[in-house]
Amino acid sequence: RGFDHEVCGIAEIGKVLSTLRAKGCETVSFIGNVKRPDFSSLKPDLKGVSLLPKIISAARRGDDALLNSIIAIFESEGFKVIGAHELLDGLTQPAGVLNSVAVSDFEKADIQEAYRIAGAIGDLDIGQGAVVCGGLVLAVEAQEGTDEMLRRIARLPVEIRGTEDERKGALLKRPKPMQDKRVDMPTIGPSTVSKAAEAGLKVIAAVEHSALWVEVEKLKSLADAVGISLVSLRENGDWP
């Protein structure tokens, strides 16, 4: 709020474009969480009216199609779209164990299985995350998001998941195989660590330079305190 800004309705596409041009903007970056709107309740401007049918059609094909259609609008209007991680240093991480909590071979197997499952649901444009414990798939992420998925795990019987006293299992987040990494990169923040801790998990993993690790030093401190390993796999899913 301390910066010059303009508030636009989500379907006021003409206002968005004219505001960017009036401010001399040439580059656009998308950051933050946006829930799917109720398209029938939107109040588009004239430009939005002309584009909304195409956007709604794309939305029916999945999140990737929806986001790609929005990127295409800005690019067709002459703007360059770049990822937030290209603007801010330290948002992505190289391959490696990022904090001081060691990972056992047992947990590595869960990470690899979660990587495989997340890839499978990504192929179907369902979600980006999966949780595996002892080889058993506890949850996959859909429209509810990571935090809600972790809340579901915390309600599962302790016989099939870890606890705060005996942590087990891994959360793995990765981009969908055909995803444009300029938008909707998998994100891991302090709330991810807190919810994973409540769910009894031992590992939070992602892929090198393919996830946004928000407030990474705080993440490491939180994870160390609760006994959760933070892991960044190689791009092909191999152990770092």
Side-chain angles (χ1 to χ4, degrees):
R1 294 176 181 174
F3 294 88
D4 189 19
H5 66 279
E6 183 69 54
V7 177
C8 303
I10 199 168
E12 293 181 315
I13 299 172
K15 182 180 178 182
V16 171
L17 296 171
S18 62
T19 300
L20 291 171
R21 290 197 177 99
K23 298 296 182 180
C25 297
E26 298 175 348
T27 304
V28 175
S29 184
F30 297 88
I31 191 167
N33 183 40
V34 179
K35 293 183 179 179
R36 267 192 178 232
D38 174 3
F39 288 103
S40 66
S41 68
L42 296 181
K43 298 178 180 178
D45 57 15
L46 192 59
K47 184 74 169 179
V49 168
S50 69
L51 293 171
L52 208 53
K54 183 183 295 185
I55 293 172
I56 292 172
S57 176
R60 293 194 180 105
R61 300 196 302 274
D63 285 349
D64 278 359
L66 172 59
L67 292 169
N68 287 337
S69 73
I70 293 170
I71 289 173
I73 290 169
F74 283 89
E75 290 182 331
S76 69
E77 295 287 338
F79 294 96
K80 180 181 180 181
V81 178
I82 64 174
H85 59 288
E86 298 176 73
L87 294 170
L88 299 172
D89 290 335
L91 276 180
T92 67
Q93 296 296 314
V97 179
L98 306 181
N99 65 329
S100 62
V101 181
V103 181
S104 70
D105 289 342
F106 187 78
E107 289 141 8
K108 289 178 184 178
D110 280 345
I111 295 170
Q112 295 297 328
E113 180 65 1
Y115 178 89
R116 186 182 71 83
I117 296 298
I121 65 169
D123 276 330
L124 297 171
D125 198 8
I126 294 172
Q128 299 174 326
V131 176
V132 174
C133 182
L136 181 67
V137 179
L138 297 188
V140 294
E141 181 185 14
Q143 286 296 314
E144 81 275 33
T146 304
D147 284 0
E148 288 301 320
M149 176 180 67
L150 293 173
R151 287 190 182 99
R152 282 194 283 127
I153 294 169
R155 296 193 294 268
L156 293 175
V158 294
E159 291 80 10
I160 61 171
R161 65 172 176 88
T163 65
E164 294 183 18
D165 295 326
E166 187 180 356
R167 298 198 170 281
K168 300 176 185 177
L171 161 67
L172 185 287
K173 298 187 71 173
R174 60 181 287 197
K176 298 167 186 173
M178 301 303 293
Q179 180 176 331
D180 189 324
K181 292 184 181 179
R182 291 177 293 175
V183 293
D184 197 29
M185 279 262 273
T187 302
I188 297 168
S191 68
T192 315
V193 174
S194 298
K195 297 295 185 299
E198 293 168 6
L201 295 181
K202 180 62 184 293
V203 179
I204 297 173
V207 177
E208 60 178 338
H209 302 303
S210 295
L212 306 181
W213 297 81
V214 181
E215 299 180 87
V216 68
E217 293 306 318
K218 183 177 180 180
L219 287 178
K220 292 176 183 178
S221 178
L222 284 172
D224 283 343
V226 297
I228 290 178
S229 301
L230 303 178
V231 177
S232 183
L233 298 179
R234 298 195 187 281
E235 189 171 1
N236 62 359
D238 284 350
W239 184 254

